[in-house]
Amino acid sequence: MFENFGMYFEQVKRAIFSFNSLAYDSKYDNYNDDTKLLAALIYAEAGIEDWDGKVYVADSVLNRVNSSDPYWPDSIYDVIYQKGQYSCVNDGNLKKAFKEVTDECFEIAIQELNAITNTDIIYFRTGHYSKWGEPLFKHGRHYFSKE
């Protein structure tokens, strides 16, 4: 009876995401959902950062997707929406970012989806290094760490 529940749940999640992404400016219609979601996350988490600061935030998502660590999900959607990982999901800023995302964030999302700039970054936070991982560097207001 419940064999297909997991697959059904995934379909519902993706349908909800697709509905939310309708808030984008129509000029972004040709981008796939992963690109739209990554661009929105970049804007929500690093919108005031410079180009490199935005790139490093994108890399934290993509490195988790590509990680062999079973803790990290293997899709952009699931990494971003994993409980407790990105503050913009919890505080509503990601939802707002769908309406405000910039061309620059789309450019960075596309660039990083094609080739990740920094393959070490897994964690970042503001104010200080995360209690998880090994500190790498500070850039802008973010502190970046690896596993």
Side-chain angles (χ1 to χ4, degrees):
M1 178 166 149
F2 294 106
E3 312 78 48
N4 294 325
F5 182 74
M7 186 182 335
Y8 173 75
F9 182 70
E10 286 301 312
Q11 291 170 337
V12 169
K13 281 192 328 188
R14 298 212 184 273
I16 290 169
F17 170 71
S18 293
F19 175 77
N20 286 338
S21 70
L22 295 175
Y24 280 104
D25 186 313
S26 61
K27 70 181 179 181
Y28 301 125
D29 285 347
N30 293 330
Y31 294 104
N32 68 37
D33 285 348
D34 281 346
T35 305
K36 290 176 184 176
L37 181 56
L38 185 59
L41 178 105
I42 293 165
Y43 183 80
E45 291 284 354
I48 64 170
E49 300 296 326
D50 65 10
W51 179 276
D52 288 342
K54 290 177 178 85
V55 164
Y56 299 145
V57 166
D59 291 349
S60 75
V61 174
L62 299 173
N63 289 334
R64 291 175 187 196
V65 170
N66 294 329
S67 175
S68 60
D69 185 334
Y71 179 75
W72 304 117
D74 60 359
S75 76
I76 290 171
Y77 179 94
D78 290 335
V79 163
I80 290 173
Y81 284 99
Q82 186 177 23
K83 186 176 180 176
Q85 296 304 309
Y86 292 93
S87 62
C88 67
V89 173
N90 300 325
D91 65 16
N93 284 330
L94 182 59
K95 189 173 182 178
K96 288 186 230 170
F98 286 121
K99 298 175 186 168
E100 301 169 0
V101 66
T102 63
D103 291 344
E104 179 182 57
C105 292
F106 271 96
E107 289 174 39
I108 291 168
I110 292 164
Q111 170 187 295
E112 295 309 295
L113 284 164
N114 286 319
I116 298 170
T117 297
N118 187 310
T119 57
D120 290 329
I121 296 170
I122 295 288
Y123 307 103
F124 74 92
R125 62 174 297 140
T126 57
H128 56 84
Y129 286 107
S130 172
K131 65 182 178 180
W132 296 284
E134 182 182 327
L136 286 170
F137 58 87
K138 179 184 185 294
H139 185 91
R141 63 188 178 106
H142 289 135
Y143 293 78
F144 295 91
S145 302
K146 64 181 183 177
E147 281 191 293

